[in-house]
Amino acid sequence: MAREYTVNTLPATPKSDINYAADLNDQQFAAVTAPPGPSLVIAGAGSGKTRTLTYRVAYLLDNGIYAANILLLTFTNKASREMLERVEQLVPHDTQDLWGGTFHSVGNKILRRHAEELGFEKNFSIMDREDQKELLTTAIAESGINTKELNFPKPDVVADIFSLVQNMDCDMAELLEWKYPYFEHHLEPLQKVQEKYEEKKLATNSMDFDDLLIKTLQLFQENPNICQYYQKQFEWVLVDEYQDTNAVQSDLIDMLAAPHNNIMVVGDDAQSIYSWRGADFQNILQFVDRYEGARRFVIETNYRSVPEVLSLANAAIKPNRAQFEKNLAPARPDAEELPALIPVQDVRLQAAFVAQRILELVDEEGIEFSEIAVLYRAHYHSMEVQMEFTNRDIPFNITSGLRFFEQAHIKDVASFIKFAANRKDEVSFKRIVKMLPGVGPGTADKLWNQWVACPGYKDEKLAEFSEHMLDFKVPTKAKEPFAQFAYTMDELLDGKGGTEAPPAMMPSIIEGVYDDYMKAKFPNYDIRRQDLRQLERYSQDFTDVDEFLSQLSLLAGQDAVEANKQKKSNDTDVVTLSSVHQAKGLEYKVVFVIWLADGMFPSKKVIEHDDEDESGLEEERRLFYVAVTRAEDQLYLMYPLVWQGSYTGEVIQRPSRFLEDLPTDLTEEWKVGAASW
DNA sequence: GGGGCAAAAGTTTTT
DNA sequence: CTTTTGCCCC
């Protein structure tokens, strides 16, 4: 008798109508159409890296490769979304699934499928920095270390140390010697805490951001069959911003690409700005040595900036010694206007100038707000500009340090959902009960212990929280609110051991308990209530709780807000205020770089603590280079002459050493006076 | 667990 | 000079 066997075939991709030869220059064409095997694309700023990468995807699809076999790795959600959108525009492939995204989101997806192999459950919680700090605090306490006695590092610093150890794949002893010599005598207690922390993560079924990468790598190393599955699945691996990969990311890439070596990495060593997070641009410098037979493509034409801006950029990066020699050539005609160098009396005037100049550009040159960006080294540098913009009604969008999800009220509401989905989530549980009157860290701990000890904790078919929790010993003041909390939690369950869908959970939480709490707790109740409505709308897109929570944790604030905005309206004509780090990969017609004073940019810390090869200073210089190369047409470099520090009094500022390095004929100095103040 | 007071920081950059 | 943290006491 014949055996029946079905092969699942994917529908063929419709061909795009791209004429690669006409759309690309020679170097790009060569890279896009490169045969299988490893290739390294070194490309300067504004050279069309993204374009090259997306065309590469389109080219592969056009040549019969299934989208599901291509893995496109990027660093930010924005970059990932934009790239996928471009691909979908170029090649319609709605029948197939292009599996790409950020390193963290890909790691998250893979880990959810194989969590059991690592001792986790697939509904594990993702901890952000704040959650991580909470868990570390308990880990430190449970390790029995007397933190006061020996000036033990704060949980924040401990988190930094652990993160670097993992991302740089190095010994804790080495790291302490190199970066934290004043903590070297704490090596043993630190290792003890680390062990405890790992235990706690397992016990609470939670992972931090670093785990999403490290545990994926570990999964592959310990399970060759799983590793082979993904190697086969992702037959073509493409990586953007390769210069910013750290040891773990580079290992992960190497591992996935190992058998077929159909890997293309794209990057610019001059734009490596994440070494403080463990990024090592040796990865890109040594790529050709690591991958036998690697082809190297250098794209040196710059399409973005006018020659005047480009000359300045080239001069800015020149003093750096650790770099590939590149000679960026402009593709655009002269602008007949030099970048402006603008010393101003003080910060107030700096903000006033930026605002006034922007209004002129919009009124007289027909430039839109959205084509203008104000960039700075650190978020607090933007304070005065924000105030000035508000006063003058200039619409702006700020990529602030705070993510949407990191705001207290958003996290509060999410912690209900997190605990309903993952009943081992100690951090979320404690966060919720600490909102109840009369419950602080101590009582929260006692309540948690009662939960762990009760049968509900282990009940996979748990239908009600209240049936267990109403028996808990609770302080009198919190008795009734605690019962209310338990009943609210009941509503989040589907009665069959799982949870309701995210859109159904939101009203239960908000109307059940949180709205009243929020009114009492926050002075700006209205604004926060609106945020929660936004979160409610956002939740409508999800049926799966884990997916909803993952998105919340992994999406940066701007992404979440923008994802919503697009649906509502397109009133996005706003000026961008951004740190240089967050502006990576973006471009604007007009760019203002503010606070270019020595000690601010480059930052004081780097100047004071740099080692003899000036690697810290060189990174700051690359950062300056990134800032400058965001500009297409006009560039304004500014610094205040005095700074009214809040506690230091008036401090005379020197211009940034990066400005002093520039030949004077590359900029035009503007003298700004105040009319009347 | 929270109020009250005194001492000590405080100014990177992020998935 | 402010804001946050640390400690004591009720």
Side-chain angles (χ1 to χ4, degrees):
Chain A
M1 196 152 82
R3 187 199 299 206
E4 285 197 29
Y5 189 83
T6 315
V7 178
N8 296 317
T9 52
L10 292 165
T13 313
K15 289 235 168 171
S16 71
D17 49 8
I18 299 173
N19 183 347
Y20 298 95
D23 288 355
L24 300 165
N25 72 26
D26 291 350
Q27 301 145 315
Q28 288 175 321
F29 181 80
V32 165
T33 60
S39 24
L40 165 69
V41 179
I42 301 193
S47 58
K49 277 192 287 276
T50 309
R51 184 183 167 88
T52 306
L53 218 45
T54 45
Y55 268 57
R56 172 73 174 169
V57 174
Y59 178 81
L60 291 175
L61 294 173
D62 278 354
N63 283 277
I65 307 296
Y66 290 122
N69 296 126
I70 300 172
L71 177 65
L72 184 58
L73 289 169
T74 59
F75 272 79
T76 63
N77 290 292
K78 205 190 251 172
S80 147
R81 203 179 49 230
E82 281 175 6
M83 205 162 302
L84 298 191
E85 270 168 20
R86 286 187 67 154
V87 173
E88 274 162 34
Q89 274 170 20
L90 295 175
V91 187
H93 62 94
D94 47 37
T95 52
Q96 295 177 39
D97 178 31
L98 183 93
W99 203 10
T102 62
F103 282 91
H104 288 85
S105 70
V106 169
N108 178 46
K109 277 184 195 166
I110 293 177
L111 285 171
R112 299 255 171 217
R113 291 182 173 194
H114 306 282
E116 320 77 46
E117 314 283 339
L118 295 161
F120 285 83
E121 291 161 33
K122 77 167 204 359
N123 57 345
F124 62 81
S125 303
I126 299 174
M127 294 185 291
D128 68 7
R129 206 42 197 268
E130 194 192 353
D131 301 331
Q132 194 184 359
K133 234 169 88 182
E134 289 293 320
L135 201 65
L136 266 172
T137 309
T138 32
I140 292 169
E142 287 174 24
S143 308
I145 290 164
N146 190 343
T147 50
K148 278 165 270 173
E149 199 171 295
L150 281 159
N151 194 21
F152 198 72
K154 301 263 145 48
D156 242 343
V157 183
V158 176
D160 267 346
I161 294 173
F162 289 178
S163 181
L164 276 175
V165 165
Q166 302 205 288
N167 283 312
M168 300 176 72
D169 194 20
C170 69
D171 228 46
M172 196 184 296
E174 276 171 55
L175 180 86
L176 291 182
E177 190 192 335
W178 169 64
K179 196 152 182 223
Y180 301 90
Y182 40 93
F183 287 142
E184 263 190 293
H185 56 292
H186 290 322
L187 177 62
E188 267 175 51
L190 275 169
Q191 284 169 331
K192 212 160 113 194
V193 171
Q194 193 180 30
E195 231 169 83
K196 193 88 205 169
Y197 177 57
E198 291 299 319
E199 270 172 38
K200 292 230 66 153
K201 284 193 289 192
L202 212 51
T204 60
N205 194 28
S206 312
M207 295 200 196
D208 58 35
F209 280 133
D210 295 328
D211 286 329
L212 296 180
L213 304 181
I214 287 166
K215 298 248 187 287
T216 309
L217 187 63
Q218 193 190 335
L219 175 81
F220 288 164
Q221 284 164 343
E222 290 170 3
N223 304 278
N225 53 328
I226 295 176
C227 182
Q228 279 160 20
Y229 172 82
Y230 288 102
Q231 288 171 333
K232 221 168 159 183
Q233 174 77 43
F234 301 129
E235 217 180 321
W236 301 81
V237 178
L238 303 159
V239 187
D240 193 19
E241 308 278 15
Y242 191 69
Q243 77 280 354
D244 282 325
T245 51
N246 61 32
V248 179
Q249 287 158 335
S250 124
D251 285 353
L252 210 49
I253 295 164
D254 288 353
M255 195 147 222
L256 278 173
H260 47 70
N261 276 340
N262 293 328
I263 174 173
M264 174 180 275
V265 300
V266 172
D268 177 5
D269 56 295
Q271 295 188 60
S272 171
I273 54 176
Y274 282 99
S275 74
W276 48 272
R277 188 169 94 177
D280 183 0
F281 70 87
Q282 291 302 321
N283 285 337
I284 195 169
L285 298 180
Q286 290 166 1
F287 183 86
V288 177
D289 301 327
R290 270 210 328 280
Y291 283 87
E292 211 182 313
R295 269 171 297 266
R296 211 181 110 158
F297 305 92
V298 183
I299 304 179
E300 294 184 303
T301 314
N302 178 296
Y303 296 94
R304 179 185 297 154
S305 309
V306 292
E308 289 85 352
V309 169
L310 207 55
S311 304
L312 190 143
N314 283 333
I317 195 70
K318 200 161 183 211
N320 268 16
R321 299 170 69 193
Q323 62 169 325
F324 278 134
E325 280 291 317
K326 269 192 304 286
N327 195 12
L328 283 187
R332 297 183 53 188
D334 284 353
E336 292 157 22
E337 203 177 278
L338 288 173
L341 178 64
I342 311 164
V344 281
Q345 188 54 36
D346 56 25
V347 196
R348 173 98 172 69
L349 205 58
Q350 176 175 258
F353 176 87
V354 173
Q356 188 176 318
R357 186 70 193 139
I358 285 176
L359 289 175
E360 278 172 22
L361 291 169
V362 171
D363 290 343
E364 293 164 21
E365 299 187 25
I367 292 172
E368 303 201 4
F369 285 126
S370 60
E371 296 171 319
I372 303 171
V374 182
L375 306 181
Y376 35 82
R377 175 69 181 87
H379 284 299
Y380 74 96
H381 291 166
S382 69
M383 281 300 298
E384 292 81 9
V385 175
Q386 284 185 57
M387 278 157 60
E388 192 72 27
F389 280 13
T390 309
N391 288 341
R392 301 209 196 193
D393 285 330
I394 297 175
F396 66 94
N397 209 336
I398 181 154
T399 61
S400 87
L402 245 211
R403 276 154 240 290
F404 184 65
F405 184 64
E406 280 170 357
Q407 295 172 270
H409 51 295
I410 305 287
K411 285 199 66 171
D412 285 344
V413 170
S415 60
F416 285 88
I417 305 177
K418 281 173 93 170
F419 179 62
N422 173 17
R423 287 148 222 161
K424 292 182 176 176
D425 191 335
E426 180 179 339
V427 174
S428 295
F429 176 87
K430 285 185 174 172
R431 186 180 182 108
I432 305 168
V433 296
K434 276 193 278 189
M435 293 181 217
L436 307 175
V439 179
T443 313
D445 207 47
K446 281 181 198 143
L447 288 171
W448 174 250
N449 288 334
Q450 293 183 73
W451 168 241
V452 173
C454 90
Y457 175 72
K458 286 208 184 98
D459 185 359
E460 282 178 20
K461 294 241 159 20
L462 185 78
E464 274 187 351
F465 285 98
S466 56
E467 81 177 276
H468 305 283
M469 289 184 169
L470 294 183
D471 301 335
F472 286 10
K473 207 171 141 281
V474 186
T476 332
K477 229 197 311 184
K479 195 99 194 160
E480 201 171 316
F482 185 74
Q484 179 67 41
F485 151 70
Y487 289 129
T488 301
M489 289 306 301
D490 286 351
E491 291 180 33
L492 308 186
L493 296 179
D494 65 1
K496 291 171 281 186
T499 64
E500 293 286 345
M505 295 165 110
M506 298 289 299
S508 299
I509 301 163
I510 296 172
E511 276 136 44
V513 282
Y514 196 69
D515 200 51
D516 291 334
Y517 171 79
M518 193 164 54
K519 274 182 196 149
K521 165 99 182 179
F522 301 114
N524 55 353
Y525 164 80
D526 289 334
I527 299 171
R528 290 175 193 257
R529 187 63 241 263
Q530 278 186 13
D531 280 347
L532 290 183
R533 290 208 181 88
Q534 203 177 16
L535 184 67
E536 248 180 302
R537 270 197 302 277
Y538 187 60
S539 74
Q540 313 268 312
D541 295 345
F542 297 87
T543 49
D544 185 82
V545 192
D546 294 332
E547 209 176 302
F548 175 60
L549 291 173
S550 296
Q551 285 293 314
L552 283 189
S553 309
L554 296 174
L555 271 189
Q558 233 27 54
D559 287 314
V561 175
E562 267 167 37
N564 253 303
K565 238 187 212 157
Q566 278 184 343
K567 267 176 234 155
K568 276 195 293 179
S569 65
N570 272 343
D571 60 336
T572 46
D573 188 25
V574 296
V575 177
T576 299
L577 301 193
S578 170
S579 70
V580 182
H581 279 93
Q582 288 185 325
K584 181 169 93 158
L586 304 177
E587 56 189 16
Y588 301 90
K589 271 202 173 123
V590 182
V591 168
F592 294 82
V593 186
I594 57 171
W595 259 121
L596 278 164
D598 223 47
M600 292 297 178
F601 196 167
S603 86
K604 205 163 149 190
K605 272 202 173 137
V606 170
I607 298 171
E608 280 166 10
H609 297 120
D610 212 4
D611 38 15
E612 64 296 342
D613 65 352
E614 299 205 314
S615 60
L617 193 67
E618 295 211 341
E619 175 146 326
E620 293 280 304
R621 194 177 276 115
R622 290 194 292 271
L623 197 58
F624 178 55
Y625 175 78
V626 168
V628 167
T629 51
R630 297 311 96 197
E632 295 171 0
D633 296 353
Q634 294 185 39
L635 177 64
Y636 299 84
L637 305 173
M638 307 188 66
Y639 64 95
L641 293 165
V642 289
W643 173 45
Q644 187 66 43
S646 48
Y647 55 95
T648 40
E650 276 198 355
V651 184
I652 307 289
Q653 300 288 309
R654 292 190 45 221
S656 166
R657 59 192 69 193
F658 299 151
L659 294 177
E660 300 198 316
D661 286 343
L662 297 173
T664 48
D665 60 344
L666 293 182
T667 55
E668 180 189 358
E669 187 161 330
W670 292 29
K671 296 217 186 308
V672 177
S676 67
W677 292 105

